[in-house]
Amino acid sequence: MNRVYNFAPGPSTLPLPVLERAAAEMTDTNGTGQSVMEMSHRSKDFKPIIEKTETLLRSLMGIPANYKVLFLQGGASLQFAMVPLNLAGVNVGEARKKAAYIDTGVWSSKAFAEAGKYVEARIAASSKDKAYSYIPAAPAPAVDDAYYHITLNNTIVGTKWASVPDTGSVPLVADISSCILSEPLDVSRFGVLYAGAQKNLGPAGTTVVIIRDELIGKAPEWVPAMLRYDIHEKEDSMYNTPPCYGIYIIGLVLEWLQNLGGVPAIYELNKQKAALFYSYLESSKLFSSPIDKNFRSLMNIPFVASGASPDKQAELEARFVKEAADASLVNLAGHRLVGGMRASLYNAMPIDGVKALIAFMDAFEKKSI
Ligand SMILES: *Cc1c(COP(=O)(O)O)cnc(C)c1O
């Protein structure tokens, strides 16, 4: 077998034991004589699978009893619309409700733009002035804000909030797609948390929403059934056929995480991996991090060949990405909007992958300058 180290931002690497177990159970899961893909979602065979996934997520994240967990589809991007529709949607003719957005990069700008179709959304603070290389101070919400939206970890630029802002009685909503389960998080500080699965949880196609129960049931009647938290909650994520196989794989990933020691253990490991990589970048004469030290992500680490002469930098970076791929270190190109390189070090990236990348970069640096 020839596995690569995959530094992709998403879909991204999954734990090998999870893939091996899924392979072993592909044609006969739990002695049912069926693949999970073939099971009725309402059957006695699938029920324990979705229940196990939810129970594990609740215990690993410490989700309080007054929060509901929903397994939906449409990715984090559909939540950009579902959040405003469900928390602040109004009927035709009624005054629009207000919502605050903190603009920390591409995903938060997209969330803001989508919300503007349904609510009076405003950008309460932004770090666009410095290419999103930091997290701005979070101003207090307005008393009549229906909610306050942040992107907790910014996958593309590689920043994360150093602490969770206090929004008082205004529900705090966070996109945690690229940092879910990577470090401890006090769920009770939030009204809604949402994450597409393909970064730290499992396959693309499944979306996890964690919502305080008092925020469910506020959508106006015209909001389509599939976009309503109240319907998905009432039907236990089975209003229609849920993404069964994705939910099953998430369950295996969560079991793997639990066996490792849960979030506190993976957090220690994530800190070690990120510290190794950032400290290499600090010492490198070729590569550097463009991100403010106070707000550096543990999960997504962009870097540039700033030590190269400006006229050669782009060419050198392209060569780096190609040669790294030839050495089985794949998907290191930065996002098409920001360029440079990026190493995503999600939960499933072993520390040996980080060490292999650093050794490769060190050798590349020595032969390049
Ligand atoms: C990947 C990502 C998204 C987009 O997720 P989709 O599931 O493709 O909609 C949104 N927000 C963040 C923070 C992401 O990392």
Side-chain angles (χ1 to χ4, degrees):
M1 188 181 47
N2 197 11
R3 293 272 296 171
V4 295
Y5 286 120
N6 180 4
F7 297 92
S12 42
T13 192
L14 285 168
L16 184 57
V18 165
L19 297 176
E20 286 172 337
R21 177 154 164 208
E25 295 181 349
M26 176 58 76
T27 57
D28 178 8
T29 315
N30 304 331
T32 61
Q34 301 161 59
S35 167
V36 176
M37 275 182 265
E38 303 169 300
M39 287 177 186
S40 161
H41 57 295
R42 303 194 190 278
S43 66
K44 64 172 185 0
D45 300 321
F46 185 67
K47 201 158 175 273
I49 293 175
I50 188 168
E51 285 175 355
K52 181 191 86 176
T53 304
E54 177 173 341
T55 303
L56 279 167
L57 188 68
R58 283 187 173 276
S59 81
L60 285 164
M61 287 185 74
I63 300 173
N66 62 325
Y67 283 73
K68 297 288 188 268
V69 173
L70 305 175
F71 296 103
L72 308 180
Q73 306 189 52
S77 301
L78 188 56
Q79 295 310 307
F80 298 168
M82 281 180 72
V83 165
L85 283 170
N86 284 271
L87 268 50
V90 292
N91 286 306
V92 181
E94 286 175 3
R96 287 176 155 221
K97 293 184 182 166
K98 288 192 197 164
Y101 278 74
I102 309 298
D103 174 30
T104 52
V106 172
W107 295 119
S108 54
S109 323
K110 283 197 165 172
F112 167 73
E114 191 69 4
K117 296 174 182 172
Y118 313 107
V119 303
E120 221 45 58
R122 82 178 176 286
I123 294 195
S126 172
S127 52
K128 198 171 183 177
D129 59 337
K130 290 187 185 155
Y132 295 120
S133 59
Y134 68 104
I135 300 286
V143 282
D144 54 350
D145 279 332
Y147 63 90
Y148 193 104
H149 182 281
I150 63 171
T151 309
L152 201 60
N153 181 76
N154 294 277
T155 323
I156 294 174
V157 286
T159 59
K160 73 158 179 159
W161 286 74
S163 61
V164 173
D166 184 359
T167 56
S169 59
V170 172
L172 179 60
V173 176
D175 180 350
I176 55 168
S177 293
S178 51
C179 59
I180 187 169
L181 291 164
S182 65
E183 61 180 279
L185 189 64
D186 180 357
V187 174
S188 71
R189 302 280 305 274
F190 299 87
V192 181
L193 292 164
Y194 63 87
Q198 70 274 27
K199 289 28 189 290
N200 244 347
L201 287 176
T206 309
T207 312
V208 170
V209 174
I210 301 161
I211 179 168
R212 200 158 65 221
D213 50 18
E214 76 204 20
L215 297 172
I216 300 175
K218 292 170 176 282
E221 247 175 59
W222 58 265
V223 173
M226 278 295 287
L227 303 186
R228 305 181 67 96
Y229 292 139
D230 53 359
I231 290 199
H232 289 296
E233 188 262 329
K234 190 164 147 274
E235 302 288 337
D236 288 328
S237 303
M238 297 229 194
Y239 170 69
N240 72 327
T241 318
C244 303
Y245 198 76
I247 292 167
Y248 157 75
I249 297 283
I250 292 172
L252 298 187
V253 170
L254 297 179
E255 231 175 295
W256 167 83
L257 183 56
Q258 190 184 44
N259 291 337
L260 275 181
V263 174
I266 204 77
Y267 179 44
E268 283 310 311
L269 202 59
N270 287 335
K271 281 194 291 190
Q272 278 178 32
K273 290 186 296 183
L276 265 182
F277 198 64
Y278 282 119
S279 76
Y280 165 69
L281 291 178
E282 293 303 319
S283 70
S284 170
K285 291 190 180 60
L286 179 59
F287 299 108
S288 68
S289 160
I291 300 305
D292 185 321
K293 279 200 174 99
N294 297 314
F295 305 107
R296 287 179 174 175
S297 170
L298 292 179
M299 295 284 99
N300 311 100
I301 308 188
F303 55 101
V304 287
S306 52
S309 62
D311 58 321
K312 297 231 174 74
Q313 183 176 338
E315 185 235 300
L316 193 77
E317 291 180 348
R319 185 150 54 81
F320 170 82
V321 170
K322 188 187 169 301
E323 289 183 13
D326 291 342
S328 297
L329 305 163
V330 305
N331 292 319
L332 283 162
H335 191 277
R336 62 199 149 83
L337 294 175
V338 299
M341 285 78 67
R342 169 179 47 172
S344 292
L345 310 182
Y346 293 119
N347 287 354
M349 172 57 65
I351 198 158
D352 285 347
V354 181
K355 289 179 180 163
L357 176 58
I358 291 171
F360 177 84
M361 288 170 73
D362 196 41
F364 186 91
E365 172 177 345
K366 287 194 172 110
K367 74 174 186 187
S368 304
I369 55 177

